[in-house]
Amino acid sequence: MTQWLLDRTFRAASGDEVRWAALGEDGAPPVVLLHGTPFSSYVWRGVARALAARHRVFVWDMPGYGASGMRDGQDVSLGAQARVFVELLEHWGLAGERSGPAVVAHDFGGCVALRAHLLHGARYARLALVDPVALAPWGSPAYRLLGGHREVFGQLPAALHRALVREYVSSASRPGLPPAVLDRLVEPWCTDEGQPAFYRQIQQNDQRFTDEIQGRYGEIELPTLVCWGAQDDWIPVARGHELASRIPGAQLRVIEGAGHLVQEDAPAELAVALAEFLRP
């Protein structure tokens, strides 16, 4: 299993512990990577290392995910994650820069990045959205079932819960995930804290958080790249075409052979597309 360690800690205003790391040389152009659900920054490990050859790359696990803190009563909604992201940009010394960092965001990380920019004024030099949660409607029937019955599913025996999470995470990849990678993505959700956290984050991921911003995508005035897995079974590639058409001047890059987890299905192709887009 590839070593991946978030060796630094940030305490958000909410009290939540956020684990993060930085790769590449100090002073290099900054890039921030945002993961989606139910994943963690681990999915960015290959792309992050590739980009670190020319950039200072910041990665983090959102509150309630991966190595970051999980707790009862935690607000892990998309609105809360956007506020934490704005705090992190300040903590990293990136909020005061004239144009801000480049931002690359996957899945619901796309909504987090878009909310931070459109609602909280976060400045980015460039924005790359990879199979993002950005347009209504979203959330499969199974997703809504899990979120609507959090208390019930939270009481599943550990073995059944693990099997459910493994099946769910596996479905994000078109060719299938290597066992060690699947284990790494599933494990945080299978602890005493992780099992209720898994259903908590689904329950809180309400479509209203994209409804509040999707009418404003025409206001985005920065270079934007939309990347999409051609075989994404979670969010069809047609949404990528629609999103790119709503953002002025946005480029669209469709990656063949990849499902929703493009970072795992086609890491080299994604890294090349991002490196080209981020080149000054």
Side-chain angles (χ1 to χ4, degrees):
M1 184 180 298
T2 303
Q3 179 69 18
W4 184 251
L5 177 65
L6 303 185
D7 58 353
R8 308 186 195 188
T9 302
F10 170 72
R11 184 71 62 177
S14 62
D16 289 313
E17 178 186 90
V18 179
R19 301 290 293 176
W20 66 278
L23 297 75
E25 297 295 326
D26 283 326
V31 177
V32 183
L33 306 181
L34 285 73
H35 67 81
T37 179
F39 315 113
S40 69
S41 63
Y42 181 72
V43 299
W44 284 119
R45 65 198 178 282
V47 171
R49 288 175 174 135
L51 295 179
R54 295 180 179 273
H55 299 271
R56 182 68 165 168
V57 181
F58 294 84
V59 293
W60 58 298
D61 284 353
M62 297 186 194
Y65 292 79
S68 289
M70 300 176 178
R71 59 180 174 83
D72 289 340
Q74 189 174 27
D75 185 352
V76 294
S77 68
L78 296 170
Q81 303 290 6
R83 292 191 293 271
V84 171
F85 181 44
V86 171
E87 293 177 36
L88 271 173
L89 291 174
E90 181 71 32
H91 177 69
W92 291 329
L94 302 178
E97 295 192 3
R98 183 170 58 184
S99 61
V103 170
V104 181
H106 175 243
D107 186 75
F108 91 167
C111 178
V112 172
L114 288 164
R115 288 182 66 88
H117 178 62
L118 292 170
L119 300 183
H120 302 293
R123 294 192 297 274
Y124 309 147
R126 292 172 176 268
L127 176 63
L129 300 166
V130 183
D131 296 67
V133 172
L135 296 171
W138 53 269
S140 67
Y143 190 84
R144 292 192 292 270
L145 176 68
L146 294 173
H149 300 277
R150 176 173 68 91
E151 298 299 332
V152 175
F153 285 103
Q155 297 179 55
L156 283 175
L160 288 179
H161 168 73
R162 180 181 291 271
L164 185 154
V165 177
R166 286 181 69 86
E167 182 65 26
Y168 184 72
V169 172
S170 295
S171 68
S173 169
R174 190 54 180 272
L177 297 170
V181 172
L182 180 58
D183 288 344
R184 180 65 181 262
L185 294 175
V186 168
E187 192 57 38
W189 303 118
C190 295
T191 65
D192 289 344
E193 297 80 16
Q195 180 165 344
F198 179 76
Y199 302 107
R200 181 186 307 123
Q201 54 91 17
I202 295 176
Q203 181 189 47
Q204 293 185 21
N205 286 342
D206 194 281
Q207 185 177 292
R208 67 184 175 88
F209 293 107
T210 53
D211 290 345
E212 290 171 354
I213 57 171
Q214 74 174 51
R216 298 184 57 183
Y217 295 157
E219 301 174 21
I220 297 174
E221 298 180 342
L222 61 149
T224 302
L225 172 67
V226 177
C227 281
W228 220 280
Q231 284 74 44
D232 187 341
D233 292 328
W234 284 20
I235 311 177
V237 69
R239 295 293 179 84
H241 290 273
E242 181 182 353
L243 179 61
S245 72
R246 288 180 177 231
I247 300 175
Q251 306 172 39
L252 175 64
R253 182 75 169 265
V254 177
I255 299 180
E256 293 296 331
H260 188 67
L261 266 179
V262 185
Q263 306 97 317
E264 301 292 347
D265 292 355
E269 291 90 336
L270 180 59
V272 168
L274 292 174
E276 292 176 350
F277 175 67
L278 297 173
R279 186 177 296 126

